[in-house]
Amino acid sequence: MDFELKWLAWEITRRCNLHCVHCRSSSEMEVKEHPDFSTEEGKRIIDDISSFSMPVVVLSGGEPLLRQDWFELASYGTQKGLRMCLATNGTLVTSEVCQMIKDAGIKMVSLSLDGSTAEIHDNFRNQPGAFEGTMNAARLFREHGISFLINSSFTKRNQHDIQNVYRLAKKLGATAWYMFMIVPTGRGEEIMSELISPEDYEKLLEWHYEMEKQEKDLLVRPTCAPHYYRVKMQLAKRDGKRLEHRSLKFSTGGAKGCLAGQLICLIDVDGNVLPCSYFPLSAGNVRQQSLKDIWDGAKLFRELRDFSSYKGSCGSCEYVRVCGGCRARAYAVTGDYLEEEPFCNYTPKKLRAGEG
């Protein structure tokens, strides 16, 4: 497998005007311990990224629109040839912001939508009016001709609403809908008991497979759900279809479930390089060494890329190269990122045969 960096999330601020129950970075409006870096440092990081790779770069947070210089950073990245994108909760989007998004050359915007009604979404986001803000942002994006996708995160408190959210995302004119399964990091640790059970998880992935077969207008993907690729291969076989590993294309260009440290990574507001947005361990810091050196040589990344080092069911599984299990979820639950995926209930053939 080629470990070229394809997609990079960049936490340009940890400040946020919402207080979401699942926030991976425990974002608040006032952040003292993790202050924003300067515009000059931001441009240096963009130079660092573009010096060895041309990944999709998503300006993330927190809420990135809280930074005064988000437009300057996005424009600079575009000038360097990077495909710049923006991840926002939508509440700060105005017509002026939409024009700035277009002027900065931002190719795609992602919106967060965790419920089909204000009651459900605002409960998840801990902020009255958050749903109205997302709806308004979607309307403005349509009016200004800005492509946007919708990310939806789910726990037990809103899993009953998944199909309604999918239908609403389609109605709003999104180009894609990503169904996120919560990884308990940051504030998400506080709602560990709300995580969807492995049994329900499997049923949701099966529903997604059937829905995806019928969906012609909207790109749909389960995210942070690596064993969907195992489920997809199993169900395709049931349907009499042979689904090759190489045909399982992920939205970032990969061909397996968990891509943390393999095709994707995150640079946080402090300069730490993490395998993904939900993986709290750093592989290095761009204030101390180049991103290329970290990407190519960090011990953490080398271990994540070595499937033979995976433990438990994942280590014995015939689908390990298709799925890989969520390494962030394994770390959150067991303290060992090489352990088996804790929310997968599949028993590998080796273990069923008594060989594992």
Side-chain angles (χ1 to χ4, degrees):
M1 182 177 178
D2 181 10
F3 297 114
E4 178 185 357
L5 179 59
K6 297 283 191 180
W7 185 93
L8 185 148
W10 185 17
E11 183 187 66
I12 62 173
T13 183
R14 199 162 286 188
R15 293 178 292 130
C16 189
N17 58 330
L18 302 184
H19 192 85
C20 305
V21 298
H22 65 300
C23 182
R24 61 156 193 88
S25 59
S26 301
S27 292
E28 305 278 358
M29 192 60 187
E30 298 296 329
V31 178
K32 296 180 180 178
E33 295 182 3
H34 304 279
D36 294 354
F37 49 81
S38 68
T39 304
E40 290 70 27
E41 183 175 0
K43 289 182 176 180
R44 186 195 64 76
I45 290 173
I46 291 171
D47 289 340
D48 189 7
I49 296 168
S50 61
S51 69
F52 90 101
S53 185
M54 286 291 164
V56 172
V57 176
V58 183
L59 301 182
S60 183
E63 171 50 52
L65 295 181
L66 284 171
R67 275 193 73 121
Q68 295 287 315
D69 62 354
W70 69 266
F71 173 79
E72 190 172 351
L73 293 174
S75 299
Y76 189 73
T78 297
Q79 292 169 22
K80 286 289 184 176
L82 296 169
R83 183 180 172 85
M84 302 301 291
C85 300
L86 178 74
T88 176
N89 59 41
T91 58
L92 302 179
V93 174
T94 62
S95 289
E96 181 183 10
V97 166
C98 287
Q99 190 57 54
M100 294 172 73
I101 286 172
K102 297 180 75 171
D103 291 345
I106 288 175
K107 301 299 184 184
M108 180 67 70
V109 179
S110 69
L111 272 176
S112 301
L113 178 66
D114 305 318
S116 64
T117 66
E119 180 183 8
I120 300 171
H121 178 82
D122 292 357
N123 172 265
F124 213 79
R125 296 274 154 181
N126 265 330
Q127 180 66 51
F131 180 78
E132 183 181 346
T134 299
M135 295 300 102
N136 182 59
R139 176 183 62 81
L140 288 170
F141 290 154
R142 290 196 306 272
E143 289 179 1
H144 288 266
I146 295 172
S147 297
F148 68 96
L149 61 86
I150 286 179
N151 293 324
S152 302
S153 299
F154 296 102
T155 66
K156 289 177 181 177
R157 74 168 66 189
N158 64 342
Q159 75 174 86
H160 66 282
D161 199 37
I162 289 178
Q163 294 187 36
N164 294 329
V165 174
Y166 154 62
R167 285 190 284 267
L168 178 56
K170 190 170 181 177
K171 181 179 178 181
L172 290 173
T175 61
W177 177 66
Y178 293 161
M179 181 178 78
F180 274 79
M181 303 321 243
I182 288 295
V183 179
T185 58
R187 263 199 303 272
E189 292 181 12
E190 301 170 14
I191 57 169
M192 185 82 76
S193 63
E194 292 188 30
L195 298 184
I196 294 171
S197 70
E199 293 74 25
D200 284 352
Y201 200 172
E202 194 88 359
K203 291 176 183 176
L204 283 171
L205 296 180
E206 291 175 1
W207 165 79
H208 197 288
Y209 171 78
E210 298 298 336
M211 175 270 291
E212 189 178 333
K213 286 196 301 183
Q214 305 300 320
E215 181 55 63
K216 305 299 181 186
D217 304 318
L218 189 66
L219 174 66
V220 289
R221 289 286 186 275
T223 308
C224 297
H227 43 291
Y228 177 63
Y229 294 85
R230 181 259 304 165
V231 169
K232 195 169 185 177
M233 291 188 79
Q234 289 177 307
L235 294 180
K237 184 177 180 180
R238 179 204 65 188
D239 292 343
K241 299 176 182 178
R242 180 173 176 79
L243 200 60
E244 298 289 348
H245 176 196
R246 61 178 175 271
S247 71
L248 295 174
K249 292 300 181 186
F250 190 73
S251 58
T252 57
K256 66 182 287 290
C258 184
L259 302 174
Q262 298 172 38
L263 294 178
I264 70 174
C265 71
L266 167 93
I267 300 177
D268 74 12
V269 74
D270 300 317
N272 295 307
V273 181
L274 314 180
C276 76
S277 299
Y278 299 96
F279 205 121
L281 296 182
S282 175
N285 192 291
V286 292
R287 291 174 173 169
Q288 300 164 1
Q289 58 188 134
S290 72
L291 179 59
K292 183 181 190 304
D293 286 346
I294 296 169
W295 181 258
D296 290 341
K299 178 177 180 289
L300 174 57
F301 287 165
R302 292 200 309 271
E303 289 181 338
L304 292 174
R305 296 164 185 171
D306 179 11
F307 306 133
S308 66
S309 67
Y310 289 10
K311 302 175 183 177
S313 293
C314 287
S316 301
C317 189
E318 64 272 26
Y319 293 104
V320 67
R321 292 182 176 274
V322 176
C323 166
C326 176
R327 298 299 97 211
R329 199 175 281 123
Y331 180 75
V333 174
T334 71
D336 183 348
Y337 50 80
L338 296 177
E339 264 297 349
E340 66 187 33
E341 156 73 66
F343 285 83
C344 176
N345 59 5
Y346 176 72
T347 302
K349 287 181 180 178
K350 275 186 181 181
L351 299 184
R352 275 181 280 159
E355 298 174 13

